[in-house]
Amino acid sequence: MLNYQLDRTFAALADPARRTIVERLASGPATVSELAKPLPMSLPAVMLHLKVLEGSGLVASEKLGRVRTCRIDPKRLSQAESWVAERRQMWERNLDRLGAYLDQPQDDS
Amino acid sequence: MLNYQLDRTFAALADPARRTIVERLASGPATVSELAKPLPMSLPAVMLHLKVLEGSGLVASEKLGRVRTCRIDPKRLSQAESWVAERRQMWERNLDRLGAYLDQPQDDS
């Protein structure tokens, strides 16, 4: 389940327009037209990107009257961050162990 | 440039087989056949995944004789981690500011 979630989260983050949307929403909720304003594409194209972001769980939205407001769901962001951070830390620990091993006085016998 | 790199890094991480490879390499370098062993796919399929990982810069490899050895390049892992961590922290700061605002005594006038 987590595996499948990570597939969708990383795939959602693999596009610069979608990262721009996540970045904007990190500083607070925004309407679809506010999100579309800085993006060099049509509103339908922005809505497709939002659909991918919602599908991944990174973004949630609700419609009030005719206005849809989007916000970050931080859970998926944290999961992706943890996955990458844990692998990087694992790699560093492994490097430290190798360093400690190489620092040991070598036995010539 | 960083934007393009992030596209490739996140796209590379959006596949469970490629994450399994990154996870294995986080605990030290490995040959292509060591990486292929736990994966439920053919060696050519593993090599295609490795090509994507090398293209993203997450993995580097070198061939010595007939054996290709792969290792993590931690730079890309750190970049992806930083991007996600910064947006999550931005979101949390925004939430804190909202909390502080709501905690203020409200003026009824």
Side-chain angles (χ1 to χ4, degrees):
Chain A
M1 181 60 186
L2 176 63
N3 226 8
Y4 177 64
Q5 271 303 339
L6 283 171
D7 288 6
R8 306 237 284 190
T9 304
F10 286 127
L13 293 175
D15 180 279
R18 291 197 290 267
R19 288 199 304 277
T20 301
I21 293 174
V22 168
E23 178 134 33
R24 168 61 190 84
L25 293 177
S27 61
T31 65
V32 175
S33 46
E34 283 168 343
L35 292 173
K37 205 170 283 176
L39 294 171
M41 60 186 69
S42 66
L43 194 62
V46 174
M47 292 180 80
L48 279 179
H49 282 308
L50 277 171
K51 208 171 162 183
V52 175
L53 285 166
E54 288 202 58
S56 74
L58 281 165
V59 167
S61 77
E62 58 181 346
K63 204 167 182 178
L64 258 169
R66 296 177 68 179
V67 178
R68 180 171 293 279
T69 303
C70 304
R71 58 176 179 76
I72 289 276
D73 184 341
K75 206 161 50 241
R76 298 292 170 232
L77 223 44
S78 296
Q79 267 177 2
E81 183 185 348
S82 299
W83 192 91
V84 179
E86 283 161 20
R87 273 72 206 168
R88 190 189 45 75
Q89 287 157 12
M90 205 191 284
W91 181 85
E92 278 172 4
R93 277 197 302 274
N94 180 61
L95 205 70
D96 288 345
R97 269 200 302 272
L98 181 67
Y101 172 79
L102 293 176
D103 282 346
Q104 279 175 359
Q106 301 298 309
D107 185 355
D108 287 342
S109 65
Chain B
M1 181 59 186
L2 176 63
N3 226 8
Y4 177 63
Q5 270 303 339
L6 282 171
D7 287 6
R8 304 235 286 190
T9 304
F10 285 128
L13 292 176
D15 180 279
R18 292 197 291 267
R19 289 199 303 278
T20 301
I21 293 174
V22 169
E23 177 134 30
R24 167 61 189 82
L25 293 178
S27 61
T31 64
V32 174
S33 46
E34 284 168 343
L35 292 173
K37 204 169 284 176
L39 293 171
M41 60 187 69
S42 66
L43 194 63
V46 173
M47 292 180 80
L48 279 179
H49 282 307
L50 277 171
K51 208 171 163 183
V52 175
L53 286 166
E54 287 202 59
S56 74
L58 280 166
V59 167
S61 77
E62 58 181 346
K63 202 165 183 178
L64 259 169
R66 297 177 67 178
V67 177
R68 180 170 294 279
T69 302
C70 303
R71 58 176 179 76
I72 290 276
D73 184 341
K75 207 161 51 244
R76 299 292 171 232
L77 223 43
S78 296
Q79 269 177 1
E81 183 184 350
S82 299
W83 192 92
V84 179
E86 283 162 20
R87 273 71 206 169
R88 191 190 44 76
Q89 286 157 12
M90 205 190 285
W91 182 85
E92 278 173 2
R93 278 197 302 273
N94 180 62
L95 204 71
D96 288 345
R97 270 200 301 271
L98 182 67
Y101 173 78
L102 293 175
D103 282 346
Q104 278 175 2
Q106 300 298 307
D107 184 355
D108 288 343
S109 64

